[in-house]
Amino acid sequence: MTETPMLGFIGLGNMGLPMASRLLAAGHKLVAFDLRREACDALAAQGAEIATSPRAVADRAKTVFLSLPTPQVVRAVIEGQHQAEGLIGAASIKVLVDLSTTGASITKALAQQVQAVGIRYVDSPVSGGVNGAVKGTLAVMCACARTDYESLEALLSVFGKAFHVGETPGLGQSMKLANNMLSATAMAASAEAIAFGVKQGLDPMVMAEVINVSTGANTAIRDKFPKAIIPRLFNFGFASGLMNKDVQLCLQEAQACGVPMAVGSAVGAIWNETVEQLGAESDFTEVAKIIETKAGVVIEVKTPSSKE
Ligand code: NAD
């Protein structure tokens, strides 16, 4: 009987923790690490082993997943502060699957560095939010050699629907940045449109219901307004700082390859303002508050007394 191989997982945040939980629930053995003790404890309670560092994860597991916040953190974990700390040079690692959103340029550079020491690099950002991570309905945007994709496809399917978007690491990131620019645009533009309607006297929940079956339908109006903004919960589980990182990365990379983004630049300014005023840790649905303040409205269900 062959032994179930040990998988590694580094970064147990809003996305990483539910994705790692799904691997455990699917019967995989897991060794994991996060800087936050409470995230490690939560996964240990589900049967994972907890390592003392990213390097210790890669000393034990052949396939290691990363779900880390920024390109800088991904680089630091791969390279390590000192030679003895990074994933490069660890005893077991053969395949590195980066689920984080980092942008194409750093991914290309890291892939080269990692592949030079014999580790396969799988660029594999995801979309679908915390809910998708919990339910296993993420879109997984994989860019790597086809043979690597084929050997990982079953594993990636634990997270959702896997797509092989290209052979070269970086293409998954470009795919993801294009998607998130659209998602950020839908969020900001929908906040403006709903604020306009509310100021005119419409109920935002009624607006969402109508738009959802009209030509303005989008994921912000479908999910974020009814679930997080109109009920004033602002708890969608994606930080404004991370959304802003994705938008600014997309703008930089579009500029570098000569693609104009006039709409994207305006969207980028709104996300910069959100982070400046509400902090990088604020939930990205709080961008609506920035628009509300300027419009002098609150996007909430109309109380009977406020209805005409
Ligand atoms: P998060 O901030 O909730 O989680 C990141 C985790 O990484 C945290 O638990 C943090 O403690 C840990 N971490 C930071 N530095 C570390 C280090 N040096 N070693 C080990 N752990 C470290 O972020 P998230 O929302 O889970 O997002 C993770 C990645 O996925 C990001 O790149 C994000 O852009 C992307 N993403 C997020 C969403 C979402 O809806 N939240 C959706 C799709 C993609």
Side-chain angles (χ1 to χ4, degrees):
M1 227 171 70
T2 51
E3 214 190 312
T4 317
M6 178 70 88
L7 301 173
F9 211 108
I10 301 168
L12 305 171
N14 285 327
M15 297 298 283
L17 186 58
M19 283 194 273
S21 299
R22 288 192 65 81
L23 289 172
L24 287 171
H28 295 285
K29 288 206 299 186
L30 208 61
V31 55
F33 176 75
D34 192 290
L35 294 175
R36 293 180 308 116
R37 191 68 239 173
E38 66 273 22
C40 294
D41 290 346
L43 202 67
Q46 297 168 42
E49 291 181 33
I50 301 303
T52 50
S53 68
R55 175 69 168 254
V57 170
D59 279 338
R60 302 273 315 280
K62 196 168 151 256
T63 301
V64 176
F65 294 94
L66 303 183
S67 179
L68 294 166
T70 62
Q72 294 76 15
V73 173
V74 171
R75 183 188 282 282
V77 164
I78 290 176
E79 291 177 347
Q81 294 259 317
H82 308 285
Q83 235 180 1
E85 288 176 359
L87 302 186
I88 291 174
S92 288
I93 185 168
K94 291 280 176 292
V95 182
L96 179 55
V97 185
D98 187 13
L99 304 161
S100 330
T101 310
T102 56
S105 45
I106 191 165
T107 291
K108 286 180 197 161
L110 289 173
Q112 264 191 354
Q113 211 178 331
V114 161
Q115 282 166 351
V117 295
I119 301 169
R120 316 290 299 164
Y121 194 96
V122 179
D123 168 27
S124 195
V126 298
S127 176
V130 174
N131 193 35
V134 171
K135 290 189 176 151
T137 56
L138 296 171
V140 185
M141 307 168 190
C142 208
C144 59
R146 175 154 284 282
T147 46
D148 290 336
Y149 175 74
E150 282 165 1
S151 56
L152 278 170
E153 198 178 358
L155 209 46
L156 296 174
S157 301
V158 171
F159 304 139
K161 183 158 174 48
F163 295 88
H164 187 225
V165 300
E167 296 273 333
T168 323
L171 285 173
Q173 294 296 328
S174 302
M175 181 69 240
K176 168 68 181 169
L177 291 186
N179 176 78
N180 272 30
M181 176 56 94
L182 279 176
S183 174
T185 303
M187 192 59 226
S190 299
E192 291 182 352
I194 298 280
F196 162 74
V198 169
K199 190 123 196 194
Q200 295 284 330
L202 288 164
D203 183 313
M205 208 52 121
V206 173
M207 289 185 77
E209 227 177 291
V210 175
I211 293 170
N212 278 330
V213 291
S214 303
T215 52
N218 64 65
T219 54
I221 303 280
R222 186 189 68 197
D223 297 328
K224 288 128 199 175
F225 279 81
K227 291 180 191 156
I229 297 172
I230 300 173
R232 315 305 290 170
L233 294 171
F234 301 104
N235 62 349
F236 219 79
F238 186 35
S240 302
L242 293 185
M243 179 54 108
N244 194 35
K245 167 204 63 168
D246 296 353
V247 170
Q248 304 305 334
L249 276 171
C250 187
L251 289 172
Q252 284 160 24
E253 297 196 357
Q255 190 180 25
C257 72
V259 173
M261 285 202 173
V263 176
S265 301
V267 171
I270 290 176
W271 287 99
N272 270 334
E273 202 179 335
T274 306
V275 170
E276 271 162 30
Q277 292 196 19
L278 303 176
E281 298 304 319
S282 63
D283 193 80
F284 84 120
T285 54
E286 293 183 67
V287 67
K289 293 182 181 170
I290 298 293
I291 313 290
E292 286 177 333
T293 305
K294 290 181 185 170
V297 295
V298 178
I299 298 171
E300 60 189 348
V301 174
K302 273 187 155 189
T303 56
S305 63
S306 65
K307 285 190 178 167
E308 302 97 49

